[in-house]
Amino acid sequence: MSSQNSTLSRYGSSARPAPYPLFYPPPPPVDQIAVEERVAALGKRSIKKGAKVAGLTLAVRMMDLTTLEGKDTPGKVRQMCAKARTPLAGDPSVPSCAAVCVYPNLVPTAKAELAGSGVKVASVATAFPSGQSPLDVKLSDVRRAVELGADEIDMVIDRGAMLAGDYAKVFDEIAATKEACGPAHLKVILETGELGSYDVVRKASEIGIAAGGDFIKTSTGKVQPAATPAVTLVMLEAIRDHFLATGRRIGMKPAGGVRTAKQALHYLVLVKETLGDAWLTPDLFRFGASALLNDVLMQLEKERTGVYQASEDFSKD
Amino acid sequence: MSAEITKTGEALPALDFGHAWEYAPSPEATDHVRIAPRHELFVGGAWRQPHSSRYFDTISPSTEQKLAEVAEADERDVDDAVQAARRAYDRYWSRMPGRERAKFIFRIARAIQEKARELAIVETMDGGKPIKESRDVDLPLAAAHFFYHAGWADKLDYAFQGRAWRPLGVAGQIIPWNFPLLMAAWKVAPALACGNTVVLKPAETTPLTALLLARIVEEAELPPGVVNVVTGAGATGAALAAHPGVDKVAFTGSTDVGKKIQRAVAGTKKKLTLELGGKAANIVFADAPIDQAIEGIVGGIYFNQGHVCCAGSRLLVEESVHDLVVRKLRDRMATLRLGDPLDKNTDVGAINSGAQLARIRELVAAGEEDGAERYSAPCALPGKGFWFAPTFFTGVAQSSRIAREEIFGPVLSILTFRTPEEALEKANNTMYGLSAGIWSDKGAKIFWMAQRLKAGVVWGNTYNKFDPSSPFGGYKESGFGREGGRQGLLAYTEVGQ
């Protein structure tokens, strides 16, 4: 990682001293065992009946329905947009999803398809998923996605720089990306599965927040493990400390690996009992998922009718 | 929730743990649990009426409803039980090879697992603790203690560096109401493994699971008299401790009663172990993982409504993080769910008895009189039953009653320190010495503290962790003797030189 040789303009000098004052005091340490115990305990909350319906309905409203594949086509994206707009045809009690999340080339298709629906279009950018490109390429990626109509940008941090200890580079790239976003909301993907420890996740969360991210997000979905309840709790605690210090509310998005309604409710329990009521809204909490929606719909239909429907009763898009 | 105001008058951002998304009631089903209306004494393998024909009520502390009536054993009943235990010791249990004793103890362990759901529900109904605790802590640990000691029964020749050993004889065991079945397991399992027979006296407010344990012993077909259960209040326990046919007295409970028992057995051949009160220091350094330490503080004092002898009832927090810790603790307490102990989402259940509630109220009033600042979680208390909201005091003086006396309720006293030496001095400045907790990211600091703390159990970056292989017991007025582990076997054996 030779930022010294880079010809790119960076925010601040590449020869700047270590970014210690910026992140002083250092983040509090995170105890792995105790964090995992806490999420396991919250995973035992019993969510039944009305609470289950309310929670799952909220989960639908919080969903960023996602397709991020090389084989994505306008047809595929149009189908997904229809699902996001009306997740369950014939049941108006099921709300629309929060957003769809696609690659930049498919933003115009999604934008046209969702016009007037209130469903946002999110685009990944910044050389997603690896982030291993020069900064000007990443920023141009962001600007083009916004020009094409993206309401939200999901960027990736430079994990190489993060792990090498070049926190200033990580910070500066996020800050530059935020500026390139203009009016679009910025979600900062930490790719926690590559960060190795909760302490690094905590530090990356603080950098993402300090550099201007509106949301912090666990994963691209391209790396395992993706979102876990424990890593989400660590990020929620960083968000909580930022709020307690500044009053500013940062959003959270676990993405990848959330496949079942039961898991979604577990995440909502984490939010409710860590950050409280203000975060129980799509403005501040999202699920990045593709398979999750149908399981949530199946559970909602089960609560409504008393019986489980076959999986074929739900459209696969 | 209104915003907190700082000393300079500015409002701090406040989290709101309100009702945007409420959990629906989720009560554990109890329809398959039948509690017999009347319970007799279990003596010599048979269920017998008490000589006095007197019975007392056991109630649910969360509803104040009567659950059953239970035989009150007097001196004659205790004498019958001790004699039955003596006969069983002489005829069967002391002669039986360890591998045969092990089979019976394994049977008990498996039966506890099979009946875990019923036992957990009865434990919660009789004692008031949340079902999630009886289900996830009391029952698995009770079974684990029987499994662990079953494993020792045929290996005792290797437990004491090759020295010869023999059982003591008849053990009189008096247990408290805070972990009724688990304390029975802690006492009965090692006694049986080491070849002793048992007369068990459960607490008068929580006798039901000990009686269900007697049913399990019966179904496991242990020889008659190996385990006897006599129910009653303090007089029954005193009769058991004073009985000349008892070779060993094991008591868990208050320091006051422990001292009386120690006086009663003084000058006799009886061996004694006491596991008494505590006023543990839970020490939080500024370099601790603070959010996890908050969980440890909450678990340390509000677990089982604070009815825990090793509860972390004195929070010693480094002064530089005091305000932060208090602010976070208040937020965390806003999410504690107090109410129906049978609801699977309940975090804080009922106080075990009206008498204990009165004791908690008295000490809390003393704390307020001493000038400490009280904070109680904003939870609504049910109309019936015995309840006390999770509470802490700040500005507590080391000399205050709430810093020195065991409250045995959900009440935390918060004190500050500046250096590790000061933390150590304050932590040890108590008549008790059962347990302590240390929260720091620095391993060397944890070991430095742990070596110097006068406490039988020291937890690092965790709290209230129990395992049958780990010895548990106190220093000073927290008692003597150890339960669990190889060391715990010494409480039920005579070991040669």
Side-chain angles (χ1 to χ4, degrees):
Chain A
M1 186 69 47
S2 69
S3 55
Q4 301 287 333
N5 302 335
S6 169
T7 56
L8 297 172
S9 65
R10 281 179 48 196
Y11 278 70
S13 155
S14 61
R16 69 195 286 170
Y20 208 70
L22 195 53
F23 304 113
Y24 187 82
V30 181
D31 189 89
Q32 178 192 342
I33 291 169
V35 162
E36 289 170 2
E37 256 177 18
R38 172 72 175 149
V39 294
L42 288 176
K44 289 185 175 175
R45 287 292 191 213
S46 175
I47 310 297
K48 302 285 181 211
K49 303 192 174 80
K52 186 171 173 184
V53 172
L56 293 179
T57 306
L58 181 58
V60 173
R61 289 176 52 220
M62 290 171 160
M63 217 168 291
D64 285 3
L65 217 49
T66 302
T67 185
L68 294 168
E69 292 177 357
K71 66 185 181 202
D72 285 347
T73 57
K76 158 79 185 173
V77 169
R78 275 196 289 271
Q79 287 200 20
M80 192 176 76
C81 289
K83 180 94 168 181
R85 188 199 277 257
T86 312
L88 197 59
D91 186 349
S93 74
V94 177
S96 301
C97 295
V100 297
C101 184
V102 294
Y103 275 118
N105 276 349
L106 292 151
V107 167
T109 307
K111 196 71 188 169
E113 205 65 24
L114 292 168
S117 68
V119 179
K120 301 271 200 291
V121 176
S123 173
V124 295
T126 66
F128 180 95
S130 75
Q132 296 280 21
S133 287
L135 181 60
D136 60 345
V137 174
K138 295 189 198 179
L139 294 181
S140 133
D141 194 10
V142 172
R143 284 190 205 100
R144 288 292 292 136
V146 175
E147 281 165 22
L148 290 167
D151 305 299
E152 303 172 354
I153 296 294
D154 289 24
M155 72 167 288
V156 289
I157 66 163
D158 186 333
R159 282 87 76 190
M162 187 71 212
L163 292 168
D166 193 353
Y167 306 126
K169 180 164 196 238
V170 179
F171 181 97
D172 289 350
E173 285 199 3
I174 298 167
T177 306
K178 172 69 181 171
E179 192 178 12
C181 279
H185 271 237
L186 175 63
K187 305 193 197 103
V188 180
I189 302 173
L190 310 182
E191 195 65 298
T192 54
E194 290 186 338
L195 297 184
S197 79
Y198 295 132
D199 285 310
V200 180
V201 170
R202 169 77 195 209
K203 178 129 191 146
S205 300
E206 295 198 358
I207 294 173
I209 291 168
D214 298 299
F215 267 67
I216 50 176
K217 173 176 169 183
T218 59
S219 319
T220 59
K222 305 291 183 193
V223 168
Q224 290 300 320
T228 65
V231 92
T232 300
L233 178 61
V234 171
M235 293 167 72
L236 291 173
E237 286 173 350
I239 290 170
R240 180 167 65 187
D241 282 344
H242 186 74
F243 172 75
L244 292 177
T246 68
R248 182 169 160 242
R249 293 190 177 91
I250 303 298
M252 173 69 205
K253 178 176 171 184
V258 190
R259 292 192 183 83
T260 67
K262 192 170 182 178
Q263 285 175 309
L265 291 173
H266 187 185
Y267 281 95
L268 290 180
V269 166
L270 293 182
V271 176
K272 172 181 163 67
E273 301 209 18
T274 307
L275 292 170
D277 288 8
W279 270 263
L280 289 171
T281 155
D283 293 340
L284 288 169
F285 193 80
R286 297 281 182 85
F287 290 105
S290 45
L292 173 61
L293 181 56
N294 270 0
D295 194 57
V296 170
L297 295 176
M298 187 184 283
Q299 293 294 334
L300 280 172
E301 281 300 280
K302 192 258 173 185
E303 288 300 310
R304 193 173 67 83
T305 64
V307 289
Y308 280 108
Q309 317 285 317
S311 72
E312 298 307 332
D313 289 345
F314 302 94
S315 65
K316 292 169 183 167
D317 307 276
Chain B
M1 191 187 295
S2 62
E4 199 176 338
I5 309 295
T6 62
K7 284 162 195 156
T8 55
E10 96 194 82
L12 290 174
L15 298 166
D16 179 15
F17 295 98
H19 307 284
W21 177 45
E22 269 299 350
Y23 303 148
S26 183
E28 180 76 40
T30 58
D31 42 343
H32 61 294
V33 175
R34 297 270 177 276
I35 298 175
R38 173 175 278 196
H39 295 263
E40 309 295 355
L41 305 172
F42 187 63
V43 175
W47 295 91
R48 297 174 24 177
Q49 291 182 3
H51 282 100
S52 66
S53 299
R54 286 172 60 175
Y55 294 82
F56 62 94
D57 292 346
T58 185
I59 65 166
S60 161
S62 60
T63 63
E64 297 180 58
Q65 280 179 344
K66 176 176 167 180
L67 295 172
E69 52 187 36
V70 180
E72 186 179 314
D74 64 12
E75 288 180 5
R76 293 166 290 175
D77 301 306
V78 169
D79 185 50
D80 290 348
V82 172
Q83 288 195 31
R86 173 64 58 194
R87 281 193 298 276
Y89 179 77
D90 290 339
R91 284 186 199 166
Y92 312 112
W93 204 247
S94 64
R95 300 179 178 193
M96 192 182 280
R99 64 178 182 278
E100 295 300 317
R101 289 200 306 277
K103 288 180 191 170
F104 286 107
I105 303 169
F106 274 125
R107 271 191 208 166
I108 296 172
R110 284 195 299 268
I112 289 173
Q113 286 187 321
E114 284 160 14
K115 297 172 194 282
R117 188 139 176 264
E118 176 191 1
L119 287 163
I121 290 167
V122 173
E123 195 77 305
T124 284
M125 291 173 83
D126 203 19
K129 68 172 62 196
I131 186 71
K132 73 169 186 184
E133 289 178 11
S134 31
R135 178 194 67 198
D136 296 343
V137 180
D138 295 58
L139 261 297
L141 273 175
H145 270 268
F146 279 101
F147 277 115
Y148 174 79
H149 286 98
W152 266 123
D154 63 350
K155 301 172 192 72
L156 292 163
D157 289 341
Y158 311 99
F160 311 108
Q161 290 93 32
R163 287 182 291 168
W165 67 277
R166 64 171 186 78
L168 299 174
V170 175
Q173 305 181 320
I174 303 164
I175 57 170
W177 43 259
N178 57 343
F179 295 91
L181 182 69
L182 180 58
M183 290 300 105
W186 277 29
K187 295 270 183 291
V188 173
L192 296 186
C194 296
N196 306 274
T197 56
V198 164
V199 180
L200 178 73
K201 205 291 282 182
E204 66 270 26
T205 62
T206 55
L208 293 181
T209 46
L211 292 162
L212 289 173
L213 178 63
R215 291 253 176 237
I216 287 171
V217 165
E218 192 180 19
E219 286 163 19
E221 297 181 332
L222 268 75
V226 171
V227 175
N228 306 272
V229 179
V230 290
T231 42
T236 310
L240 179 58
H243 194 288
V246 168
D247 301 295
K248 154 82 188 190
V249 176
F251 172 76
T252 296
S254 73
T255 294
D256 284 348
V257 176
K259 286 177 177 176
K260 284 181 194 157
I261 288 175
Q262 193 167 9
R263 279 187 210 106
V265 306
T268 71
K269 65 179 172 61
K270 291 174 195 173
K271 284 193 47 161
L272 177 66
T273 45
L274 298 173
E275 200 266 89
L276 308 175
K279 192 73 188 177
N282 202 2
I283 304 160
V284 177
F285 286 99
D287 58 21
I290 296 289
D291 285 318
Q292 288 79 58
I294 297 291
E295 293 306 314
I297 294 165
V298 168
I301 186 63
Y302 303 127
F303 172 62
N304 200 29
Q305 297 73 247
H307 301 328
V308 184
C309 45
C310 53
S313 52
R314 280 187 300 151
L315 176 63
L316 299 181
V317 56
E318 192 165 337
E319 199 168 321
S320 61
V321 290
H322 170 269
D323 292 359
L324 177 70
V325 166
V326 169
R327 189 175 177 199
K328 284 183 170 242
L329 183 58
R330 286 175 61 145
D331 279 340
R332 178 65 179 85
M333 285 165 71
T335 67
L336 286 175
R337 306 172 64 84
L338 178 145
D340 180 6
L342 284 167
D343 191 302
K344 283 174 268 192
N345 290 326
T346 290
D347 299 315
V348 181
I351 300 301
N352 185 267
S353 66
Q356 187 57 31
L357 180 58
R359 159 106 183 138
I360 293 166
R361 285 180 173 155
E362 181 206 325
L363 278 159
V364 166
E368 287 176 322
E369 271 170 40
D370 281 349
E373 192 180 332
R374 172 181 172 179
Y375 176 79
S376 290
C379 39
L381 304 183
K384 282 223 132 197
F386 313 124
W387 304 93
F388 200 89
T391 293
F392 66 74
F393 281 97
T394 49
V396 178
Q398 183 77 354
S399 57
S400 173
R401 277 185 77 191
I402 55 169
R404 306 202 70 78
E405 293 183 30
E406 183 176 43
I407 301 173
F408 222 61
V411 181
L412 176 69
S413 299
I414 304 180
L415 300 92
T416 59
F417 66 88
R418 295 159 298 176
T419 63
E421 288 78 6
E422 185 181 353
L424 184 67
E425 186 178 25
K426 283 184 167 164
N428 284 338
N429 180 211
T430 168
M431 284 318 298
Y432 295 109
L434 192 53
S435 59
I438 309 166
W439 296 83
S440 167
D441 204 39
K442 294 194 166 55
K445 192 188 286 182
I446 292 175
F447 283 113
W448 187 89
M449 291 290 292
Q451 284 165 354
R452 289 160 179 81
L453 283 164
K454 292 280 185 293
V457 184
V458 180
W459 287 291
N461 290 333
T462 188
Y463 208 90
N464 276 342
K465 286 283 176 297
F466 307 99
D467 189 281
S469 64
S470 174
F472 185 92
Y475 279 73
K476 299 189 276 188
E477 290 199 1
S478 290
F480 46 81
R482 293 290 180 267
E483 296 185 285
R486 198 172 59 81
Q487 294 83 348
L489 302 172
L490 291 167
Y492 293 98
T493 49
E494 184 83 55
V495 177
Q497 292 308 307

